[in-house]
Amino acid sequence: MTFEDFKILIAYVESNNNQFAIRFEPHLYSRSKYNKKILDLIQTINECSLETAKVIYCSAFGKYQIMGFNLYSNICNINENVFIFCCDNRLQDKAFVQYLLHRYKNTQYVFFDLAKNIAKELEYAEQIANETSSTSAFLDVLRTNSEKFKETARFIRRYNGAIFPSDHALDYFLRMFYYYDKRIRKKGG
């Protein structure tokens, strides 16, 4: 799997590759300790009220579902309003790459090794799926052999925040597994 394939995979996992996807996170909105500098920047760039800036701060945008507070921080450095961001695939790709580089701190790894390592683990998961008799048996094997999926688990934790093999992380893993088979391998990636 190439890095370009990996971007497609994550776009499908996060939003079914919908560049206009927006997801509000109400639990963040009600509990968030807002960074005033980021809120001010959101207000200025989006020409909006403080309350709207808080909603943007606590929402995920685009095909990769990057949180507003990351878009407008020094992580992604987006200088466009959220509507322009959602309409611009190149800007979304740039933000995704910037986010990964921030989380991994290793350009070589992100562009050359991350996708290949995750592809190997997803292919190993396919072997397990073929050897198990049911979905619950497959999930049990994934849970008990979580050390075999270190790269994927690390990505899920860094990107989504879920800790493998929690139910939330397994859900993310299963979506990666599904879309890898349906969108990446089927096209020859």
Side-chain angles (χ1 to χ4, degrees):
M1 173 166 61
T2 66
F3 184 71
E4 290 302 312
D5 291 330
F6 183 67
K7 289 186 335 189
I8 293 166
L9 173 66
I10 300 309
Y12 272 99
V13 169
E14 288 291 335
S15 69
N16 201 26
N17 201 26
N18 178 358
Q19 75 183 67
F20 302 107
I22 299 172
R23 185 185 71 245
F24 176 63
E25 299 282 357
H27 63 283
L28 287 177
Y29 185 82
S30 63
R31 302 190 313 227
S32 193
K33 293 181 174 130
Y34 298 97
N35 178 312
K36 182 165 175 20
K37 184 178 173 185
I38 295 172
L39 271 180
D40 290 345
L41 187 60
I42 290 171
Q43 272 188 276
T44 301
I45 291 173
N46 289 278
E47 300 178 18
C48 63
S49 70
L50 178 60
E51 287 307 309
T52 300
K54 287 179 179 179
V55 170
I56 292 169
Y57 189 100
C58 296
S59 296
F61 295 92
K63 61 188 175 184
Y64 303 112
Q65 290 294 279
I66 299 173
M67 294 300 297
F69 58 82
N70 286 321
L71 288 176
Y72 292 102
S73 72
N74 63 353
I75 295 171
C76 296
N77 288 313
I78 297 302
N79 294 321
E80 300 288 351
N81 73 46
V82 292
F83 300 109
I84 290 173
F85 177 78
C86 285
C87 290
D88 189 335
N89 273 308
R90 288 179 302 183
L91 196 55
Q92 290 184 38
D93 289 345
K94 177 185 171 208
F96 179 67
V97 168
Q98 288 302 116
Y99 185 82
L100 290 180
L101 291 174
H102 175 78
R103 298 299 287 166
Y104 282 92
K105 313 261 190 274
N106 183 333
T107 305
Q108 172 72 26
Y109 180 79
V110 167
F111 289 117
F112 299 103
D113 299 329
L114 178 64
K116 289 177 193 167
N117 293 342
I118 287 175
K120 286 177 191 171
E121 291 179 0
L122 293 173
E123 287 167 10
Y124 178 65
E126 181 182 26
Q127 291 174 7
I128 294 170
N130 290 334
E131 295 168 1
T132 52
S133 58
S134 67
T135 303
S136 64
F138 176 56
L139 290 172
D140 288 342
V141 173
L142 291 178
R143 281 186 188 97
T144 58
N145 292 290
S146 60
E147 75 282 351
K148 303 277 189 191
F149 305 100
K150 287 180 185 172
E151 295 292 331
T152 308
R154 189 169 97 168
F155 170 79
I156 291 169
R157 182 167 188 167
R158 289 180 177 192
Y159 196 76
N160 178 275
I163 299 170
F164 203 81
S166 69
D167 288 346
H168 186 75
L170 281 172
D171 172 70
Y172 200 93
F173 182 89
L174 291 175
R175 286 184 283 143
M176 289 178 77
F177 180 70
Y178 173 81
Y179 285 116
Y180 178 72
D181 183 55
K182 300 298 179 206
R183 300 292 177 182
I184 306 305
R185 285 189 345 156
K186 294 286 190 238
K187 78 170 198 72

